[in-house]
Amino acid sequence: MPAPTPPSSTPSSHRNHAEAGVSWPELVFLLLVLLTGFYFLRDATYWARHVYIGNAQFGDAEFWWNGALHFAQGIIADNPNFTFRMGYATFAGLVVAVFGPDYPVFHTILITLFLVIAAGVYLTLRHVIGRIAAGAATVFLVFNSFTGEWLAISTSDSLGLILNLAAIMALAVGLRDGLRLRWLALFSALFACASLTRPLMMPFVLPAMLAVVATGWPDWRRTSRALAVLVGAFFLPTVLWMGLMGVTTGNFALNGGNQDSSTFYAASDP
């Protein structure tokens, strides 16, 4: 009797293909969110008029922007942000070095990056909570007055928000279909950068570790490797930065100078 013909693809491959694809309604939805979201967020002076004098920022916002301008000019040791958190100054300084020192230009790049991440949030959440709930969460994230204000002010809030969202996306993908070590490493690297930018969320690496244990149970060998990757990718950049702080300021800490709880948790939002 003839041998059975093997199926062209397995059910799991069909499922993975379906999960990876984006339907036309979803594509239209994402394009609408991106375009209207850009229009909604584009006017920085509207969302944060309390930190602007004309088109120039002052106060705390001016302090953080000066750190970015100094970094763009190669000023590191004497950078005003150096003894605080250099994540924002580093990122913004690199953008300034390429596109110039006008904050409106940087703000445009920042909200574009945020909107791309927001689209990624939808594509990640739809596998977990469904398309309708994921779409609602994405809309509430983008069309949010707090989001508009954080992105409009030159401070670590905006970049911290983007990095933490990207890290959560990587963690969600890393926990799907078992444990994906590369995605878990990406989560930890992004989360470490977010913590060096806005350290308020740093303790949440512990729930991430618990999620890895719960997902990998009872395969302890793979779970142990995943935990090692997650912890290593998180602590390597963190310890390197703290070592730099120790060499230059004499204080082995995330922030140089005097480190206490009021300095570490300088604001009430992530």
Side-chain angles (χ1 to χ4, degrees), residues 188-237:
S188 291
L190 289 169
F191 196 64
C193 291
S195 297
L196 294 175
T197 301
R198 200 73 180 169
L200 188 65
M201 306 301 291
M202 180 177 283
F204 283 87
V205 71
L206 297 178
M209 295 170 63
L210 292 177
V212 168
V213 173
T215 303
W217 182 277
D219 187 351
W220 285 107
R221 179 174 298 179
R222 184 161 182 80
T223 302
S224 299
R225 288 201 302 268
L227 282 175
V229 168
L230 187 147
V231 172
F234 176 77
F235 281 104
L236 179 60

mmCIF file of all heavy atoms in Angstrom, residues 188-237:
data_model
loop_
_atom_site.group_PDB
_atom_site.id
_atom_site.type_symbol
_atom_site.label_atom_id
_atom_site.label_comp_id
_atom_site.label_asym_id
_atom_site.label_seq_id
_atom_site.Cartn_x
_atom_site.Cartn_y
_atom_site.Cartn_z
ATOM 1 N N SER A 188 16.729 41.835 29.253
ATOM 2 C CA SER A 188 17.613 42.267 30.338
ATOM 3 C C SER A 188 18.475 43.452 29.928
ATOM 4 O O SER A 188 18.685 44.384 30.720
ATOM 5 C CB SER A 188 18.508 41.102 30.777
ATOM 6 O OG SER A 188 17.739 40.108 31.422
ATOM 7 N N ALA A 189 18.984 43.441 28.701
ATOM 8 C CA ALA A 189 19.803 44.556 28.235
ATOM 9 C C ALA A 189 18.991 45.843 28.180
ATOM 10 O O ALA A 189 19.436 46.913 28.625
ATOM 11 C CB ALA A 189 20.400 44.233 26.867
ATOM 12 N N LEU A 190 17.765 45.752 27.628
ATOM 13 C CA LEU A 190 16.901 46.936 27.571
ATOM 14 C C LEU A 190 16.491 47.393 28.961
ATOM 15 O O LEU A 190 16.458 48.599 29.250
ATOM 16 C CB LEU A 190 15.653 46.620 26.745
ATOM 17 C CG LEU A 190 15.865 46.452 25.240
ATOM 18 C CD1 LEU A 190 14.608 45.886 24.582
ATOM 19 C CD2 LEU A 190 16.237 47.781 24.597
ATOM 20 N N PHE A 191 16.198 46.449 29.827
ATOM 21 C CA PHE A 191 15.772 46.797 31.178
ATOM 22 C C PHE A 191 16.916 47.417 31.977
ATOM 23 O O PHE A 191 16.700 48.325 32.788
ATOM 24 C CB PHE A 191 15.239 45.553 31.889
ATOM 25 C CG PHE A 191 14.437 45.859 33.122
ATOM 26 C CD1 PHE A 191 13.243 46.555 33.017
ATOM 27 C CD2 PHE A 191 14.871 45.462 34.371
ATOM 28 C CE1 PHE A 191 12.494 46.843 34.156
ATOM 29 C CE2 PHE A 191 14.138 45.739 35.503
ATOM 30 C CZ PHE A 191 12.940 46.432 35.399
ATOM 31 N N ALA A 192 18.139 46.937 31.734
ATOM 32 C CA ALA A 192 19.300 47.547 32.384
ATOM 33 C C ALA A 192 19.492 48.985 31.912
ATOM 34 O O ALA A 192 19.747 49.893 32.710
ATOM 35 C CB ALA A 192 20.551 46.724 32.105
ATOM 36 N N CYS A 193 19.351 49.204 30.603
ATOM 37 C CA CYS A 193 19.458 50.569 30.068
ATOM 38 C C CYS A 193 18.354 51.456 30.629
ATOM 39 O O CYS A 193 18.580 52.628 30.940
ATOM 40 C CB CYS A 193 19.390 50.540 28.544
ATOM 41 S SG CYS A 193 20.829 49.780 27.748
ATOM 42 N N ALA A 194 17.146 50.894 30.749
ATOM 43 C CA ALA A 194 16.047 51.656 31.339
ATOM 44 C C ALA A 194 16.345 52.009 32.790
ATOM 45 O O ALA A 194 16.036 53.117 33.255
ATOM 46 C CB ALA A 194 14.753 50.854 31.247
ATOM 47 N N SER A 195 16.963 51.086 33.519
ATOM 48 C CA SER A 195 17.287 51.340 34.919
ATOM 49 C C SER A 195 18.394 52.366 35.065
ATOM 50 O O SER A 195 18.415 53.130 36.039
ATOM 51 C CB SER A 195 17.694 50.033 35.608
ATOM 52 O OG SER A 195 16.618 49.112 35.601
ATOM 53 N N LEU A 196 19.323 52.397 34.112
ATOM 54 C CA LEU A 196 20.365 53.417 34.137
ATOM 55 C C LEU A 196 19.820 54.772 33.692
ATOM 56 O O LEU A 196 20.480 55.795 33.860
ATOM 57 C CB LEU A 196 21.531 53.003 33.231
ATOM 58 C CG LEU A 196 22.302 51.768 33.695
ATOM 59 C CD1 LEU A 196 23.351 51.371 32.664
ATOM 60 C CD2 LEU A 196 22.966 52.023 35.040
ATOM 61 N N THR A 197 18.613 54.758 33.115
ATOM 62 C CA THR A 197 17.956 55.997 32.709
ATOM 63 C C THR A 197 16.951 56.442 33.761
ATOM 64 O O THR A 197 16.878 57.619 34.116
ATOM 65 C CB THR A 197 17.223 55.801 31.370
ATOM 66 O OG1 THR A 197 18.177 55.397 30.388
ATOM 67 C CG2 THR A 197 16.543 57.077 30.904
ATOM 68 N N ARG A 198 16.195 55.488 34.266
ATOM 69 C CA ARG A 198 15.140 55.768 35.238
ATOM 70 C C ARG A 198 15.080 54.593 36.204
ATOM 71 O O ARG A 198 14.350 53.642 35.989
ATOM 72 C CB ARG A 198 13.810 55.925 34.514
ATOM 73 C CG ARG A 198 12.766 56.667 35.306
ATOM 74 C CD ARG A 198 13.099 58.140 35.359
ATOM 75 N NE ARG A 198 12.118 58.886 36.125
ATOM 76 C CZ ARG A 198 12.312 60.145 36.488
ATOM 77 N NH1 ARG A 198 13.421 60.764 36.150
ATOM 78 N NH2 ARG A 198 11.407 60.788 37.186
ATOM 79 N N PRO A 199 15.830 54.594 37.296
ATOM 80 C CA PRO A 199 16.010 53.396 38.112
ATOM 81 C C PRO A 199 14.816 53.007 38.965
ATOM 82 O O PRO A 199 14.870 52.012 39.685
ATOM 83 C CB PRO A 199 17.210 53.766 39.002
ATOM 84 C CG PRO A 199 17.171 55.246 39.085
ATOM 85 C CD PRO A 199 16.661 55.721 37.761
ATOM 86 N N LEU A 200 13.722 53.738 38.886
ATOM 87 C CA LEU A 200 12.563 53.442 39.714
ATOM 88 C C LEU A 200 12.038 52.033 39.511
ATOM 89 O O LEU A 200 11.530 51.395 40.430
ATOM 90 C CB LEU A 200 11.457 54.464 39.415
ATOM 91 C CG LEU A 200 10.224 54.428 40.318
ATOM 92 C CD1 LEU A 200 10.594 54.796 41.742
ATOM 93 C CD2 LEU A 200 9.156 55.371 39.794
ATOM 94 N N MET A 201 12.146 51.508 38.281
ATOM 95 C CA MET A 201 11.571 50.215 37.966
ATOM 96 C C MET A 201 12.526 49.047 38.185
ATOM 97 O O MET A 201 12.151 47.898 37.974
ATOM 98 C CB MET A 201 11.105 50.212 36.498
ATOM 99 C CG MET A 201 10.154 51.346 36.130
ATOM 100 S SD MET A 201 8.640 51.338 37.123
ATOM 101 C CE MET A 201 7.848 49.863 36.507
ATOM 102 N N MET A 202 13.737 49.302 38.634
ATOM 103 C CA MET A 202 14.745 48.251 38.746
ATOM 104 C C MET A 202 14.294 47.033 39.563
ATOM 105 O O MET A 202 14.563 45.887 39.162
ATOM 106 C CB MET A 202 16.041 48.822 39.318
ATOM 107 C CG MET A 202 17.142 47.786 39.468
ATOM 108 S SD MET A 202 18.689 48.484 40.052
ATOM 109 C CE MET A 202 19.288 49.249 38.551
ATOM 110 N N PRO A 203 13.594 47.186 40.687
ATOM 111 C CA PRO A 203 13.202 45.990 41.453
ATOM 112 C C PRO A 203 12.309 45.022 40.687
ATOM 113 O O PRO A 203 12.174 43.857 41.081
ATOM 114 C CB PRO A 203 12.455 46.587 42.663
ATOM 115 C CG PRO A 203 12.984 47.973 42.808
ATOM 116 C CD PRO A 203 13.254 48.430 41.407
ATOM 117 N N PHE A 204 11.708 45.458 39.568
ATOM 118 C CA PHE A 204 10.819 44.583 38.822
ATOM 119 C C PHE A 204 11.567 43.514 38.038
ATOM 120 O O PHE A 204 10.932 42.694 37.360
ATOM 121 C CB PHE A 204 9.928 45.404 37.901
ATOM 122 C CG PHE A 204 8.805 46.087 38.635
ATOM 123 C CD1 PHE A 204 8.995 47.329 39.206
ATOM 124 C CD2 PHE A 204 7.583 45.463 38.792
ATOM 125 C CE1 PHE A 204 7.979 47.959 39.903
ATOM 126 C CE2 PHE A 204 6.552 46.079 39.483
ATOM 127 C CZ PHE A 204 6.748 47.334 40.045
ATOM 128 N N VAL A 205 12.889 43.498 38.128
ATOM 129 C CA VAL A 205 13.618 42.385 37.537
ATOM 130 C C VAL A 205 13.317 41.094 38.304
ATOM 131 O O VAL A 205 13.399 39.995 37.743
ATOM 132 C CB VAL A 205 15.140 42.675 37.523
ATOM 133 C CG1 VAL A 205 15.737 42.615 38.919
ATOM 134 C CG2 VAL A 205 15.866 41.714 36.587
ATOM 135 N N LEU A 206 12.941 41.209 39.567
ATOM 136 C CA LEU A 206 12.618 40.017 40.373
ATOM 137 C C LEU A 206 11.343 39.327 39.868
ATOM 138 O O LEU A 206 11.345 38.100 39.699
ATOM 139 C CB LEU A 206 12.496 40.397 41.854
ATOM 140 C CG LEU A 206 13.773 40.929 42.491
ATOM 141 C CD1 LEU A 206 13.518 41.329 43.946
ATOM 142 C CD2 LEU A 206 14.876 39.874 42.426
ATOM 143 N N PRO A 207 10.227 40.049 39.618
ATOM 144 C CA PRO A 207 9.074 39.367 39.005
ATOM 145 C C PRO A 207 9.394 38.750 37.647
ATOM 146 O O PRO A 207 8.837 37.703 37.293
ATOM 147 C CB PRO A 207 8.028 40.488 38.870
ATOM 148 C CG PRO A 207 8.381 41.462 39.934
ATOM 149 C CD PRO A 207 9.878 41.424 40.023
ATOM 150 N N ALA A 208 10.296 39.378 36.889
ATOM 151 C CA ALA A 208 10.693 38.797 35.611
ATOM 152 C C ALA A 208 11.383 37.455 35.824
ATOM 153 O O ALA A 208 11.147 36.492 35.078
ATOM 154 C CB ALA A 208 11.614 39.759 34.862
ATOM 155 N N MET A 209 12.222 37.369 36.840
ATOM 156 C CA MET A 209 12.877 36.104 37.150
ATOM 157 C C MET A 209 11.859 35.051 37.573
ATOM 158 O O MET A 209 11.953 33.880 37.171
ATOM 159 C CB MET A 209 13.919 36.325 38.245
ATOM 160 C CG MET A 209 15.086 37.224 37.829
ATOM 161 S SD MET A 209 16.157 37.706 39.211
ATOM 162 C CE MET A 209 16.772 36.097 39.715
ATOM 163 N N LEU A 210 10.872 35.452 38.362
ATOM 164 C CA LEU A 210 9.827 34.509 38.775
ATOM 165 C C LEU A 210 9.019 34.030 37.575
ATOM 166 O O LEU A 210 8.621 32.853 37.512
ATOM 167 C CB LEU A 210 8.905 35.174 39.796
ATOM 168 C CG LEU A 210 9.522 35.481 41.167
ATOM 169 C CD1 LEU A 210 8.513 36.213 42.055
ATOM 170 C CD2 LEU A 210 9.988 34.192 41.856
ATOM 171 N N ALA A 211 8.784 34.916 36.609
ATOM 172 C CA ALA A 211 8.061 34.523 35.400
ATOM 173 C C ALA A 211 8.838 33.482 34.604
ATOM 174 O O ALA A 211 8.256 32.553 34.037
ATOM 175 C CB ALA A 211 7.785 35.756 34.540
ATOM 176 N N VAL A 212 10.157 33.623 34.558
ATOM 177 C CA VAL A 212 10.997 32.638 33.878
ATOM 178 C C VAL A 212 10.895 31.282 34.570
ATOM 179 O O VAL A 212 10.761 30.237 33.920
ATOM 180 C CB VAL A 212 12.465 33.121 33.838
ATOM 181 C CG1 VAL A 212 13.388 31.993 33.401
ATOM 182 C CG2 VAL A 212 12.597 34.311 32.894
ATOM 183 N N VAL A 213 10.932 31.289 35.905
ATOM 184 C CA VAL A 213 10.833 30.035 36.656
ATOM 185 C C VAL A 213 9.478 29.373 36.412
ATOM 186 O O VAL A 213 9.384 28.157 36.172
ATOM 187 C CB VAL A 213 11.045 30.301 38.156
ATOM 188 C CG1 VAL A 213 10.763 29.036 38.973
ATOM 189 C CG2 VAL A 213 12.470 30.779 38.414
ATOM 190 N N ALA A 214 8.396 30.166 36.439
ATOM 191 C CA ALA A 214 7.060 29.611 36.234
ATOM 192 C C ALA A 214 6.901 29.045 34.828
ATOM 193 O O ALA A 214 6.260 28.011 34.630
ATOM 194 C CB ALA A 214 6.013 30.693 36.495
ATOM 195 N N THR A 215 7.493 29.724 33.832
ATOM 196 C CA THR A 215 7.376 29.259 32.449
ATOM 197 C C THR A 215 8.214 28.010 32.207
ATOM 198 O O THR A 215 7.794 27.097 31.481
ATOM 199 C CB THR A 215 7.817 30.367 31.481
ATOM 200 O OG1 THR A 215 7.034 31.532 31.704
ATOM 201 C CG2 THR A 215 7.665 29.931 30.029
ATOM 202 N N GLY A 216 9.401 27.958 32.786
ATOM 203 C CA GLY A 216 10.295 26.836 32.542
ATOM 204 C C GLY A 216 10.019 25.602 33.366
ATOM 205 O O GLY A 216 10.621 24.546 33.126
ATOM 206 N N TRP A 217 9.154 25.699 34.366
ATOM 207 C CA TRP A 217 8.844 24.567 35.237
ATOM 208 C C TRP A 217 8.272 23.405 34.418
ATOM 209 O O TRP A 217 7.424 23.619 33.574
ATOM 210 C CB TRP A 217 7.809 25.018 36.278
ATOM 211 C CG TRP A 217 7.426 23.977 37.266
ATOM 212 C CD1 TRP A 217 6.497 22.988 37.108
ATOM 213 C CD2 TRP A 217 7.958 23.831 38.576
ATOM 214 N NE1 TRP A 217 6.407 22.230 38.227
ATOM 215 C CE2 TRP A 217 7.294 22.714 39.160
ATOM 216 C CE3 TRP A 217 8.917 24.498 39.321
ATOM 217 C CZ2 TRP A 217 7.563 22.288 40.448
ATOM 218 C CZ3 TRP A 217 9.183 24.067 40.604
ATOM 219 C CH2 TRP A 217 8.522 22.975 41.158
ATOM 220 N N PRO A 218 8.743 22.149 34.642
ATOM 221 C CA PRO A 218 9.755 21.703 35.602
ATOM 222 C C PRO A 218 11.124 21.426 34.958
ATOM 223 O O PRO A 218 11.919 20.662 35.515
ATOM 224 C CB PRO A 218 9.146 20.419 36.141
ATOM 225 C CG PRO A 218 8.451 19.829 34.939
ATOM 226 C CD PRO A 218 8.009 20.989 34.080
ATOM 227 N N ASP A 219 11.378 21.955 33.787
ATOM 228 C CA ASP A 219 12.653 21.731 33.110
ATOM 229 C C ASP A 219 13.707 22.637 33.748
ATOM 230 O O ASP A 219 13.989 23.737 33.284
ATOM 231 C CB ASP A 219 12.518 22.041 31.614
ATOM 232 C CG ASP A 219 13.770 21.666 30.824
ATOM 233 O OD1 ASP A 219 14.784 21.335 31.463
ATOM 234 O OD2 ASP A 219 13.729 21.722 29.583
ATOM 235 N N TRP A 220 14.325 22.154 34.808
ATOM 236 C CA TRP A 220 15.226 22.999 35.589
ATOM 237 C C TRP A 220 16.518 23.322 34.850
ATOM 238 O O TRP A 220 17.115 24.376 35.080
ATOM 239 C CB TRP A 220 15.547 22.325 36.934
ATOM 240 C CG TRP A 220 14.404 22.425 37.878
ATOM 241 C CD1 TRP A 220 13.556 21.429 38.266
ATOM 242 C CD2 TRP A 220 13.946 23.609 38.531
ATOM 243 N NE1 TRP A 220 12.608 21.915 39.122
ATOM 244 C CE2 TRP A 220 12.828 23.253 39.307
ATOM 245 C CE3 TRP A 220 14.378 24.936 38.535
ATOM 246 C CZ2 TRP A 220 12.129 24.171 40.087
ATOM 247 C CZ3 TRP A 220 13.687 25.844 39.301
ATOM 248 C CH2 TRP A 220 12.577 25.473 40.066
ATOM 249 N N ARG A 221 16.942 22.429 33.949
ATOM 250 C CA ARG A 221 18.173 22.720 33.213
ATOM 251 C C ARG A 221 17.989 23.937 32.308
ATOM 252 O O ARG A 221 18.802 24.864 32.333
ATOM 253 C CB ARG A 221 18.582 21.493 32.380
ATOM 254 C CG ARG A 221 19.836 21.705 31.556
ATOM 255 C CD ARG A 221 20.265 20.428 30.871
ATOM 256 N NE ARG A 221 20.597 19.386 31.827
ATOM 257 C CZ ARG A 221 20.983 18.160 31.512
ATOM 258 N NH1 ARG A 221 21.077 17.825 30.225
ATOM 259 N NH2 ARG A 221 21.259 17.280 32.438
ATOM 260 N N ARG A 222 16.907 23.952 31.528
ATOM 261 C CA ARG A 222 16.651 25.096 30.655
ATOM 262 C C ARG A 222 16.300 26.339 31.474
ATOM 263 O O ARG A 222 16.698 27.450 31.134
ATOM 264 C CB ARG A 222 15.527 24.784 29.669
ATOM 265 C CG ARG A 222 15.290 25.910 28.670
ATOM 266 C CD ARG A 222 14.530 25.437 27.459
ATOM 267 N NE ARG A 222 14.335 26.498 26.472
ATOM 268 C CZ ARG A 222 15.258 26.891 25.611
ATOM 269 N NH1 ARG A 222 16.444 26.295 25.599
ATOM 270 N NH2 ARG A 222 15.008 27.850 24.748
ATOM 271 N N THR A 223 15.561 26.151 32.562
ATOM 272 C CA THR A 223 15.215 27.290 33.415
ATOM 273 C C THR A 223 16.465 27.919 34.011
ATOM 274 O O THR A 223 16.581 29.153 34.076
ATOM 275 C CB THR A 223 14.264 26.840 34.534
ATOM 276 O OG1 THR A 223 13.084 26.269 33.957
ATOM 277 C CG2 THR A 223 13.871 28.006 35.414
ATOM 278 N N SER A 224 17.406 27.101 34.426
ATOM 279 C CA SER A 224 18.646 27.622 35.002
ATOM 280 C C SER A 224 19.441 28.409 33.970
ATOM 281 O O SER A 224 19.985 29.482 34.274
ATOM 282 C CB SER A 224 19.495 26.478 35.555
ATOM 283 O OG SER A 224 18.806 25.793 36.576
ATOM 284 N N ARG A 225 19.503 27.900 32.732
ATOM 285 C CA ARG A 225 20.200 28.634 31.672
ATOM 286 C C ARG A 225 19.499 29.966 31.396
ATOM 287 O O ARG A 225 20.160 30.997 31.227
ATOM 288 C CB ARG A 225 20.248 27.800 30.390
ATOM 289 C CG ARG A 225 21.195 26.618 30.442
ATOM 290 C CD ARG A 225 21.575 26.152 29.036
ATOM 291 N NE ARG A 225 20.396 25.800 28.259
ATOM 292 C CZ ARG A 225 19.893 24.568 28.202
ATOM 293 N NH1 ARG A 225 20.453 23.575 28.870
ATOM 294 N NH2 ARG A 225 18.823 24.322 27.439
ATOM 295 N N ALA A 226 18.169 29.936 31.360
ATOM 296 C CA ALA A 226 17.425 31.163 31.090
ATOM 297 C C ALA A 226 17.646 32.189 32.193
ATOM 298 O O ALA A 226 17.841 33.383 31.926
ATOM 299 C CB ALA A 226 15.934 30.849 30.945
ATOM 300 N N LEU A 227 17.639 31.747 33.436
ATOM 301 C CA LEU A 227 17.888 32.667 34.551
ATOM 302 C C LEU A 227 19.296 33.236 34.491
ATOM 303 O O LEU A 227 19.508 34.424 34.767
ATOM 304 C CB LEU A 227 17.669 31.949 35.881
ATOM 305 C CG LEU A 227 16.224 31.745 36.330
ATOM 306 C CD1 LEU A 227 16.184 30.908 37.603
ATOM 307 C CD2 LEU A 227 15.531 33.083 36.556
ATOM 308 N N ALA A 228 20.250 32.405 34.128
ATOM 309 C CA ALA A 228 21.631 32.881 34.032
ATOM 310 C C ALA A 228 21.758 33.941 32.937
ATOM 311 O O ALA A 228 22.438 34.965 33.119
ATOM 312 C CB ALA A 228 22.568 31.701 33.748
ATOM 313 N N VAL A 229 21.104 33.706 31.801
ATOM 314 C CA VAL A 229 21.136 34.688 30.713
ATOM 315 C C VAL A 229 20.472 35.985 31.145
ATOM 316 O O VAL A 229 21.002 37.086 30.939
ATOM 317 C CB VAL A 229 20.433 34.117 29.462
ATOM 318 C CG1 VAL A 229 20.197 35.207 28.423
ATOM 319 C CG2 VAL A 229 21.272 32.995 28.858
ATOM 320 N N LEU A 230 19.293 35.882 31.766
ATOM 321 C CA LEU A 230 18.558 37.077 32.192
ATOM 322 C C LEU A 230 19.349 37.885 33.213
ATOM 323 O O LEU A 230 19.510 39.106 33.072
ATOM 324 C CB LEU A 230 17.199 36.655 32.759
ATOM 325 C CG LEU A 230 16.207 37.768 33.108
ATOM 326 C CD1 LEU A 230 14.778 37.291 32.871
ATOM 327 C CD2 LEU A 230 16.351 38.204 34.562
ATOM 328 N N VAL A 231 19.839 37.215 34.230
ATOM 329 C CA VAL A 231 20.575 37.920 35.292
ATOM 330 C C VAL A 231 21.885 38.483 34.761
ATOM 331 O O VAL A 231 22.256 39.627 35.051
ATOM 332 C CB VAL A 231 20.824 36.966 36.476
ATOM 333 C CG1 VAL A 231 21.747 37.624 37.508
ATOM 334 C CG2 VAL A 231 19.502 36.583 37.134
ATOM 335 N N GLY A 232 22.600 37.688 33.956
ATOM 336 C CA GLY A 232 23.882 38.157 33.430
ATOM 337 C C GLY A 232 23.739 39.359 32.526
ATOM 338 O O GLY A 232 24.480 40.345 32.648
ATOM 339 N N ALA A 233 22.753 39.318 31.606
ATOM 340 C CA ALA A 233 22.557 40.434 30.683
ATOM 341 C C ALA A 233 22.068 41.684 31.391
ATOM 342 O O ALA A 233 22.261 42.800 30.896
ATOM 343 C CB ALA A 233 21.563 40.034 29.593
ATOM 344 N N PHE A 234 21.437 41.520 32.542
ATOM 345 C CA PHE A 234 20.988 42.688 33.302
ATOM 346 C C PHE A 234 22.115 43.298 34.134
ATOM 347 O O PHE A 234 22.316 44.519 34.149
ATOM 348 C CB PHE A 234 19.828 42.305 34.219
ATOM 349 C CG PHE A 234 19.370 43.432 35.112
ATOM 350 C CD1 PHE A 234 18.585 44.455 34.603
ATOM 351 C CD2 PHE A 234 19.735 43.471 36.449
ATOM 352 C CE1 PHE A 234 18.171 45.499 35.419
ATOM 353 C CE2 PHE A 234 19.323 44.502 37.268
ATOM 354 C CZ PHE A 234 18.535 45.522 36.758
ATOM 355 N N PHE A 235 22.863 42.452 34.815
ATOM 356 C CA PHE A 235 23.850 42.972 35.754
ATOM 357 C C PHE A 235 25.160 43.397 35.095
ATOM 358 O O PHE A 235 25.865 44.241 35.647
ATOM 359 C CB PHE A 235 24.129 41.942 36.860
ATOM 360 C CG PHE A 235 23.080 41.925 37.924
ATOM 361 C CD1 PHE A 235 22.144 40.909 37.976
ATOM 362 C CD2 PHE A 235 23.011 42.943 38.865
ATOM 363 C CE1 PHE A 235 21.156 40.900 38.947
ATOM 364 C CE2 PHE A 235 22.036 42.948 39.844
ATOM 365 C CZ PHE A 235 21.108 41.926 39.889
ATOM 366 N N LEU A 236 25.477 42.857 33.930
ATOM 367 C CA LEU A 236 26.741 43.228 33.293
ATOM 368 C C LEU A 236 26.817 44.727 33.003
ATOM 369 O O LEU A 236 27.746 45.400 33.462
ATOM 370 C CB LEU A 236 26.953 42.407 32.020
ATOM 371 C CG LEU A 236 28.238 42.724 31.245
ATOM 372 C CD1 LEU A 236 29.456 42.467 32.122
ATOM 373 C CD2 LEU A 236 28.308 41.895 29.967
ATOM 374 N N PRO A 237 25.879 45.313 32.247
ATOM 375 C CA PRO A 237 25.974 46.760 32.015
ATOM 376 C C PRO A 237 25.791 47.567 33.289
ATOM 377 O O PRO A 237 26.388 48.643 33.449
ATOM 378 C CB PRO A 237 24.845 47.041 31.003
ATOM 379 C CG PRO A 237 23.916 45.889 31.135
ATOM 380 C CD PRO A 237 24.748 44.715 31.518
#
